[in-house]
Amino acid sequence: MSITRWQPVDSELRPFFTGTWRPLTRMMEEFLNNAQPSEMSLWGPNVDIVENADGFEIHAELPGVKQEEVKITLHDNVLTLSGEKRQEIKENKDNLLRVERNYGRFERSFSLPTTVKPEDVRAQFEDGVLKITLPKAETAKARQIQIETRK
């Protein structure tokens, strides 16, 4: 059973998928209709990156991913999130018409400023959201300087 079906575009591009281009159309149909969704989809978690006075926070959306399937590494000021979201196999496949949820391996990397204290990086995982806290070194934090009065 094919989960998705590729169809050529029904617009001005249609001539490119007919006539002499028909072998290309056939090849695309064969590949996309027979490929497993994991072969077709490359994905990475969506992230929000926030900077505050104390450091940075990265919030990564990982719905359906288990905490033990997520790996976080920090090397040479590059933070890398990697892991795998596994496909749920349902017993009742007769009613399944289309699958649009992404699954498979993922990896996202972020170059960090040199002001981050790597030894103090922390991570929490709750309700499908990974929160990584990246504190700034004291020298990188803004500080207020008092103005001295002359006497």
Side-chain angles (χ1 to χ4, degrees):
M1 177 181 144
S2 177
I3 294 176
T4 58
R5 175 124 175 89
W6 180 79
Q7 295 282 333
V9 192
D10 215 8
S11 69
E12 301 86 34
L13 298 176
R14 187 128 181 97
F16 291 106
F17 296 99
T18 58
T20 58
W21 288 87
R22 185 71 188 143
L24 175 63
T25 303
R26 226 176 277 124
M27 183 179 72
M28 291 296 290
E29 287 173 348
E30 186 177 314
F31 172 74
L32 293 172
N33 291 333
N34 294 325
Q36 296 298 316
S38 63
E39 296 169 349
M40 294 170 31
S41 61
L42 297 174
W43 74 284
N46 294 325
V47 299
D48 295 334
I49 302 174
V50 179
E51 180 179 12
N52 56 41
D54 296 325
F56 302 89
E57 286 185 2
I58 296 176
H59 299 230
E61 293 181 350
L62 295 167
V65 178
K66 296 178 181 165
Q67 180 176 334
E68 56 271 10
E69 293 174 340
V70 178
K71 181 179 174 186
I72 305 167
T73 58
L74 179 58
H75 181 70
D76 290 336
N77 278 14
V78 176
L79 180 81
T80 302
L81 310 177
S82 60
E84 184 171 4
K85 180 177 179 183
R86 302 193 188 276
Q87 181 184 23
E88 296 177 24
I89 304 296
K90 301 206 185 263
E91 291 300 318
N92 185 3
K93 292 183 180 179
D94 295 339
N95 295 331
L96 182 63
L97 298 177
R98 183 179 180 104
V99 174
E100 291 188 346
R101 289 179 287 164
N102 292 322
Y103 61 91
R105 295 211 36 79
F106 63 86
E107 186 172 288
R108 293 279 313 260
S109 294
F110 306 91
S111 295
L112 302 177
T114 56
T115 57
V116 169
K117 293 170 45 178
E119 65 276 4
D120 292 337
V121 172
R122 301 287 178 259
Q124 298 173 323
F125 193 81
E126 186 177 341
D127 295 331
V129 177
L130 176 66
K131 177 182 171 184
I132 304 171
T133 305
L134 306 143
K136 290 180 184 175
E138 289 297 321
T139 57
K141 292 181 184 177
R143 64 183 184 96
Q144 185 173 354
I145 300 171
Q146 292 288 39
I147 302 173
E148 297 177 17
T149 54
R150 290 183 149 190
K151 294 185 183 181

